[in-house]
Amino acid sequence: MKLHIKNGRLIDPANGIDASRDLYLADGRIAAVGAAPAGFQADQTIDAQGLVVAPGLVDLSARLREPGYEYKATLESELQAAIQGGVTSLVCPPDTDPVLDEPGLVEMLRHRARSMNQAHVYPLGALTVGLKGQSLTEMAELTDAGCVGFSQADEPVLDTTVLMRAMQYAQTFGYTVWLRAQDAHLGRNGIAHSGPIASRLGLSGVPVMAETIALYTIFELMRSTGARVHLCRISSAAGVALVRAAKKEGLRLTCDVSAHHVHLTDADIGFFDSNARLTPPLRSQRDRDALRQGLMDGTVDAICSDHTPVDDDEKLLPFGEASPGATGLELLLSLALKWAEEDGKGDGLSQAIAKISPAPAQLAGLAGGRLEEGAPADLCIFDPEARWTVKAAALASQGKHTPFLGYELRGQVRHTIVAGQVVFSRS
């Protein structure tokens, strides 16, 4: 199919473009920007008057719950949620059941996702067998099967020697290790940020030093091994400061933050709202403000949805017993726009898109995130002024739980295009 997208405001942060330009798509690629290629005859034309035409969003952390947790969500429901949210590429952690530690499991997941012709799915392989932190997986075979990096998800590696060997192996072959910085023992049974609010509510705490001690360890191992590391979901002001210093030092380091932590604090737990039970926990206002500043100055590279659908049986429980997690694929665009509107310069659109498309695409080694001739024709076309209210019934995700229920947000997707095909249009 050949597509002509006309009259839209094209925003491409990777190429510094923010202008009214037409876009021409053919054979799953961008054929031209601005003027039509010679002899181009469109099969379909989309009038994007008043809309923003941006690269498809890239989400660095989206649990699709397959295989093993289909009672929480399915590929069908979560990929539909992705395209409704303008997400055309997503990275999924390996903590499925069974764990993504064998090439056959990775190939099966990718085949299932490709057969749906919706968003692109890029799995992370398990760093250790069964995520048990004892023996390394066959990283080369998992890479050949389609893994874009290696992760322990939320499972820590207790044996630092194993983590060092994993980083040495990854560095040798040029793989990226994706780690969430949390000490295996500090705050192990904690469910909220250590502070006055947790104390007042009688909730066990997760101290900030659970993150910073893990960061010190990771950085020392990086200095020793030369490995490239991506830090998943940094959550504290102290953590941001350490990342800033490590980047200045020259360590090969990137990091992301959850969209929830960009906006919410531990005060949003309210009267034990289990929708605000997240991993890592929502922290103080000082921490949130530091995360937002880190996004502005480039210390924090990207915003992810941390999409973790949870069913009613595991969420509608007392705060301490509820499973952590929230749906986020359909909120990623609006929450990024909200951050940029509040903290950015000018209208902030380009800044928001940069953190949810080209930056995550680059650090994950993906081809998307750019609107230039020859690039993949993955697009998100949205109305930046449209207002919508977050309602559980309107979410395509099987997980209906989010701390943003009832919020009015700005920015609504009108069309999502993947590999040159219109996979979603909002009437």
Side-chain angles (χ1 to χ4, degrees), residues 31 51 93 137 141-142 175 284 305 317 338 389 405 417:
L51 306 178
T137 55
E141 294 181 7
L142 288 168
Y175 306 145
S284 70
S305 74
L317 294 170
K338 180 176 170 63
T389 302
L405 286 175
I417 298 171

mmCIF file of all heavy atoms in Angstrom, residues 31 51 93 137 141-142 175 284 305 317 338 389 405 417:
data_model
loop_
_atom_site.group_PDB
_atom_site.id
_atom_site.type_symbol
_atom_site.label_atom_id
_atom_site.label_comp_id
_atom_site.label_asym_id
_atom_site.label_seq_id
_atom_site.Cartn_x
_atom_site.Cartn_y
_atom_site.Cartn_z
ATOM 1 N N ALA A 31 8.879 6.870 1.808
ATOM 2 C CA ALA A 31 9.378 7.074 0.445
ATOM 3 C C ALA A 31 9.898 8.490 0.239
ATOM 4 O O ALA A 31 10.854 8.699 -0.511
ATOM 5 C CB ALA A 31 8.280 6.765 -0.571
ATOM 6 N N LEU A 51 -3.357 17.982 13.094
ATOM 7 C CA LEU A 51 -2.782 16.847 13.823
ATOM 8 C C LEU A 51 -1.259 16.871 13.748
ATOM 9 O O LEU A 51 -0.679 17.496 12.867
ATOM 10 C CB LEU A 51 -3.303 15.518 13.258
ATOM 11 C CG LEU A 51 -4.817 15.341 13.177
ATOM 12 C CD1 LEU A 51 -5.163 13.986 12.560
ATOM 13 C CD2 LEU A 51 -5.457 15.480 14.562
ATOM 14 N N PRO A 93 9.988 -7.446 28.976
ATOM 15 C CA PRO A 93 10.895 -8.125 29.905
ATOM 16 C C PRO A 93 10.740 -9.641 29.827
ATOM 17 O O PRO A 93 9.722 -10.151 29.325
ATOM 18 C CB PRO A 93 10.478 -7.583 31.274
ATOM 19 C CG PRO A 93 9.714 -6.332 30.989
ATOM 20 C CD PRO A 93 9.032 -6.572 29.670
ATOM 21 N N THR A 137 22.614 -17.531 30.753
ATOM 22 C CA THR A 137 21.917 -18.086 29.589
ATOM 23 C C THR A 137 22.852 -18.064 28.376
ATOM 24 O O THR A 137 23.926 -17.457 28.410
ATOM 25 C CB THR A 137 20.660 -17.267 29.257
ATOM 26 O OG1 THR A 137 21.038 -15.886 29.081
ATOM 27 C CG2 THR A 137 19.623 -17.380 30.370
ATOM 28 N N GLU A 141 22.752 -17.341 21.363
ATOM 29 C CA GLU A 141 21.597 -18.015 20.757
ATOM 30 C C GLU A 141 20.325 -17.191 20.938
ATOM 31 O O GLU A 141 19.481 -17.123 20.033
ATOM 32 C CB GLU A 141 21.422 -19.404 21.366
ATOM 33 C CG GLU A 141 22.567 -20.366 21.036
ATOM 34 C CD GLU A 141 22.349 -21.746 21.626
ATOM 35 O OE1 GLU A 141 21.248 -21.984 22.173
ATOM 36 O OE2 GLU A 141 23.264 -22.572 21.542
ATOM 37 N N LEU A 142 20.172 -16.569 22.090
ATOM 38 C CA LEU A 142 18.989 -15.740 22.332
ATOM 39 C C LEU A 142 19.004 -14.499 21.442
ATOM 40 O O LEU A 142 17.956 -14.052 20.960
ATOM 41 C CB LEU A 142 18.934 -15.333 23.806
ATOM 42 C CG LEU A 142 18.563 -16.460 24.785
ATOM 43 C CD1 LEU A 142 18.817 -16.029 26.225
ATOM 44 C CD2 LEU A 142 17.103 -16.870 24.619
ATOM 45 N N TYR A 175 26.625 -6.928 23.641
ATOM 46 C CA TYR A 175 25.231 -6.931 24.088
ATOM 47 C C TYR A 175 25.035 -5.892 25.195
ATOM 48 O O TYR A 175 25.979 -5.524 25.900
ATOM 49 C CB TYR A 175 24.825 -8.305 24.623
ATOM 50 C CG TYR A 175 25.062 -9.450 23.669
ATOM 51 C CD1 TYR A 175 25.436 -10.708 24.137
ATOM 52 C CD2 TYR A 175 24.927 -9.291 22.291
ATOM 53 C CE1 TYR A 175 25.651 -11.774 23.267
ATOM 54 C CE2 TYR A 175 25.149 -10.335 21.413
ATOM 55 C CZ TYR A 175 25.520 -11.587 21.910
ATOM 56 O OH TYR A 175 25.739 -12.621 21.043
ATOM 57 N N SER A 284 9.189 10.281 47.062
ATOM 58 C CA SER A 284 8.805 11.594 47.574
ATOM 59 C C SER A 284 8.726 12.637 46.460
ATOM 60 O O SER A 284 9.169 12.403 45.332
ATOM 61 C CB SER A 284 9.834 12.059 48.614
ATOM 62 O OG SER A 284 11.067 12.359 47.963
ATOM 63 N N SER A 305 6.359 3.206 29.699
ATOM 64 C CA SER A 305 5.043 3.068 30.328
ATOM 65 C C SER A 305 5.094 2.161 31.547
ATOM 66 O O SER A 305 4.237 2.236 32.410
ATOM 67 C CB SER A 305 4.033 2.506 29.325
ATOM 68 O OG SER A 305 4.266 1.122 29.102
ATOM 69 N N LEU A 317 -7.370 -5.747 46.390
ATOM 70 C CA LEU A 317 -6.991 -6.316 47.677
ATOM 71 C C LEU A 317 -6.439 -5.194 48.557
ATOM 72 O O LEU A 317 -6.157 -4.092 48.073
ATOM 73 C CB LEU A 317 -5.908 -7.388 47.485
ATOM 74 C CG LEU A 317 -6.299 -8.662 46.727
ATOM 75 C CD1 LEU A 317 -5.044 -9.492 46.415
ATOM 76 C CD2 LEU A 317 -7.284 -9.494 47.547
ATOM 77 N N LYS A 338 2.101 15.698 29.085
ATOM 78 C CA LYS A 338 1.814 16.408 30.341
ATOM 79 C C LYS A 338 3.113 16.873 30.996
ATOM 80 O O LYS A 338 3.212 18.006 31.475
ATOM 81 C CB LYS A 338 1.021 15.503 31.283
ATOM 82 C CG LYS A 338 0.669 16.125 32.624
ATOM 83 C CD LYS A 338 -0.209 15.176 33.437
ATOM 84 C CE LYS A 338 -0.389 15.661 34.869
ATOM 85 N NZ LYS A 338 -1.088 16.966 34.934
ATOM 86 N N THR A 389 -10.649 11.561 29.191
ATOM 87 C CA THR A 389 -10.642 11.136 30.588
ATOM 88 C C THR A 389 -10.316 9.655 30.668
ATOM 89 O O THR A 389 -10.884 8.851 29.922
ATOM 90 C CB THR A 389 -12.007 11.414 31.255
ATOM 91 O OG1 THR A 389 -12.294 12.817 31.156
ATOM 92 C CG2 THR A 389 -11.988 11.011 32.719
ATOM 93 N N LEU A 405 -6.745 6.745 36.814
ATOM 94 C CA LEU A 405 -8.187 6.657 36.560
ATOM 95 C C LEU A 405 -8.876 7.945 36.997
ATOM 96 O O LEU A 405 -8.654 8.437 38.111
ATOM 97 C CB LEU A 405 -8.793 5.466 37.304
ATOM 98 C CG LEU A 405 -8.497 4.076 36.736
ATOM 99 C CD1 LEU A 405 -9.061 2.998 37.651
ATOM 100 C CD2 LEU A 405 -9.055 3.918 35.329
ATOM 101 N N ILE A 417 0.239 3.825 12.354
ATOM 102 C CA ILE A 417 0.695 3.149 11.138
ATOM 103 C C ILE A 417 1.922 2.319 11.477
ATOM 104 O O ILE A 417 2.884 2.831 12.068
ATOM 105 C CB ILE A 417 1.024 4.173 10.034
ATOM 106 C CG1 ILE A 417 -0.247 4.963 9.671
ATOM 107 C CG2 ILE A 417 1.608 3.489 8.805
ATOM 108 C CD1 ILE A 417 0.006 6.141 8.751
#
